[in-house]
Amino acid sequence: MNREKGLLITIDGPAGAGKTTVSRNLAARLGYTYVDTGALYRGVALAAVRSGIEPDDDEGLARLCDGLSIGFSQQGGQSRLLVNGEDVTDLIRTPEISMTASAVSARPVVRTFLLDVQRDLGSRRAAVFEGRDMGSVVFPDADVKFFLAADLKTRALRRYQELGAAASLEQVEKDMARRDENDTNRALAPLAPAPDAVRIDSTEFSAEAVVEKMLEVIRSTTGEN
Ligand code: DC
């Protein structure tokens, strides 16, 4: 394992478990890059919607991915998602794109395309990768793996508070349960903890407390930081 350039840390878990806040804060504490891999699936979903490609049209998705350039650029300490050179960061958080991202993420052609993109981003290490299959599939040799969980009601309430009044709590919970179902039951790279992941339940802990716990685990498993 090449630790010269820093560690590769993965954080997987279902929607609304607090992965984004925790991953971002953990990366900041370590001085590492934060990579939100869900944004990549959202970027592909946006491109598909714009091209009128249905999420189950594998040929269409293959053609789309073939010509797609997708990645991040750092601007003023913020990570922006670029799709074919266009900054689409502010367009990928709608309920429609959430659902389409979940649907296209079940297609092997999309996962294979993004596997290379993600591994390329991880080649320099010193990064915290947030996603669903980071520790299990994309980076099986990651230095420290976490699986962040929380119960459905808590996750739905957190997402509802983030969205403001854009949807009812019931609708948010229903959408979340459906996405959990899609993400957990898809044939390829389903949402599941890697066997060597450290599981943390955030239902009753603040993001700060979870980050402290993770730093402790990182210190004790690697002797670093
Ligand atoms: O984390 P998120 O809600 O932004 O992710 C959007 C969708 O992308 C989610 O429904 C599942 C999928 N996804 C995935 O399959 N694998 C990842 N590593 C990250 C996200």
Side-chain angles (χ1 to χ4, degrees):
M1 213 169 290
N2 176 9
R3 293 229 177 100
E4 267 171 40
K5 302 169 191 160
L7 305 171
L8 199 148
I9 297 168
T10 60
I11 303 184
D12 292 307
K19 292 191 304 290
T20 302
T21 310
V22 163
S23 305
R24 196 178 273 140
N25 293 353
L26 181 67
R29 288 283 293 272
L30 295 169
Y32 283 11
T33 307
Y34 158 63
V35 184
D36 169 13
T37 63
L40 298 172
Y41 286 90
R42 289 170 182 273
V44 172
L46 179 73
V49 168
R50 282 177 165 180
S51 307
I53 296 167
E54 294 297 325
D56 60 354
D57 172 4
D58 285 333
E59 275 179 25
L61 289 171
R63 246 181 294 115
L64 180 78
C65 290
D66 219 23
L68 207 65
S69 125
I70 191 162
F72 297 98
S73 97
Q74 303 300 323
Q75 280 167 31
Q78 264 198 349
S79 178
R80 313 289 298 178
L81 181 72
L82 300 187
V83 174
N84 290 338
E86 178 189 351
D87 185 339
V88 297
T89 315
D90 299 329
L91 307 177
I92 57 169
R93 302 281 157 200
T94 64
E96 184 201 7
I97 296 299
S98 295
M99 231 13 123
T100 312
S102 181
V104 298
S105 73
R107 313 312 292 186
V109 60
V110 173
R111 299 208 77 82
T112 307
F113 167 65
L114 288 181
L115 189 65
D116 286 345
V117 173
Q118 293 167 106
R119 287 195 174 149
D120 194 43
L121 290 170
S123 61
R124 290 184 295 276
R125 301 187 97 87
V128 176
F129 275 80
E130 173 204 338
R132 300 291 192 289
D133 62 340
M134 295 297 99
S136 53
V137 175
V138 181
F139 299 114
D141 72 336
D143 298 289
V144 188
K145 303 175 183 179
F146 294 102
F147 191 86
L148 193 59
D151 67 33
L152 176 65
K153 286 222 174 305
T154 305
R155 292 188 286 119
L157 184 63
R158 286 176 187 164
R159 188 50 57 88
Y160 169 73
Q161 285 164 345
E162 267 167 32
L163 287 172
S168 69
L169 178 58
E170 291 68 29
Q171 190 57 47
V172 172
E173 187 175 326
K174 229 172 93 192
D175 282 359
M176 198 167 260
R178 216 173 109 203
R179 280 219 286 153
D180 281 358
E181 169 86 14
N182 284 350
D183 297 348
T184 311
N185 294 322
R186 67 176 176 232
L188 195 66
L191 169 66
D196 51 348
V198 176
R199 189 187 151 96
I200 298 179
D201 191 314
S202 76
T203 305
E204 292 184 5
F205 293 108
S206 65
E208 294 75 36
V210 172
V211 170
E212 290 305 327
K213 170 86 190 146
M214 287 178 166
L215 286 167
E216 233 175 83
V217 171
I218 293 166
R219 257 181 244 123
S220 69
T221 52
T222 67
E224 293 183 33
N225 299 295

